[in-house]
Amino acid sequence: MSSQRVFSLFFLLAVATAGYAQTTKPAFTDEDLKKYAIAMDSVKGMQESLNQSVTEMVQKATIMQVPRYNELFKIISDSTKLVAANAKPEEVAFVKEVAKKRTDETAKITATFQALAKDYVGLKAFNAIKKSLATDTALKEKYDALTKELEAKG
């Protein structure tokens, strides 16, 4: 093959590659990344609020002290262990009440998270960003900066 043909083939390949690179769009924009960061920050805030609420509920309980709650929480679904721990009916009821609150609020957080991913960010962009954050360090740094900015704003 002559050097002219090799050059021509290389040139055509370079032009085709450049043309392809210009026509492919990234799966998400900077605005999508910002929306993703806002969505994740919102969900994180909801989770922190739930944890704080449950903690306060347990700490302010007159039925039992925090260590007793922690002991019963671990065995709440095992009636034999509850009997062995001399759990009173009101203690069991309280632990179950706290668990129900946590379950109900977690379901609300999950629904909000799904709605934000679908309706605010967009599923295609959301999934692309999530996947890219695992492998693209530059994107991760950009995302972390956005997250810090959101935290600073409160």
Side-chain angles (χ1 to χ4, degrees):
M1 196 180 261
S2 73
S3 61
Q4 180 70 22
R5 281 188 165 177
V6 171
F7 178 77
S8 296
L9 184 59
F10 177 78
F11 180 75
L12 287 173
L13 183 60
V15 169
T17 304
Y20 176 75
Q22 290 174 353
T23 59
T24 59
K25 293 181 181 179
F28 56 88
T29 65
D30 285 348
E31 184 62 26
D32 293 331
L33 181 62
K34 186 174 182 179
K35 287 180 178 182
Y36 181 92
I38 291 169
M40 298 307 286
D41 184 64
S42 296
V43 170
K44 180 181 172 189
M46 292 174 72
Q47 290 169 330
E48 289 171 355
S49 177
L50 172 59
N51 287 337
Q52 182 179 4
S53 175
V54 167
T55 299
E56 286 176 15
M57 196 174 171
V58 172
Q59 288 175 342
K60 291 180 179 180
T62 57
I63 294 172
M64 69 181 89
Q65 299 293 314
V66 174
R68 179 68 170 163
Y69 171 84
N70 290 335
E71 174 190 355
L72 296 181
F73 175 77
K74 294 174 187 172
I75 60 171
I76 195 65
S77 60
D78 188 331
S79 59
T80 305
K81 289 182 180 179
L82 287 172
V83 170
N86 296 318
K88 298 175 188 164
E90 59 271 12
E91 291 175 325
V92 171
F94 177 73
V95 173
K96 287 183 177 182
E97 177 186 343
V98 173
K100 181 171 175 13
K101 177 180 178 69
R102 183 182 299 277
T103 300
D104 292 350
E105 293 300 314
T106 299
K108 291 177 186 175
I109 292 169
T110 300
T112 300
F113 178 70
Q114 291 171 346
L116 287 169
K118 180 182 174 193
D119 301 328
Y120 182 63
V121 181
L123 285 178
K124 184 178 177 183
F126 184 92
N127 290 330
I129 292 167
K130 184 177 179 182
K131 184 177 179 180
S132 296
L133 284 172
T135 58
D136 187 337
T137 55
L139 181 66
K140 179 76 169 113
E141 288 174 8
K142 195 174 194 178
Y143 171 75
D144 289 344
L146 282 170
T147 301
K148 285 180 185 175
E149 184 180 314
L150 289 171
E151 287 174 2
K153 289 181 180 178

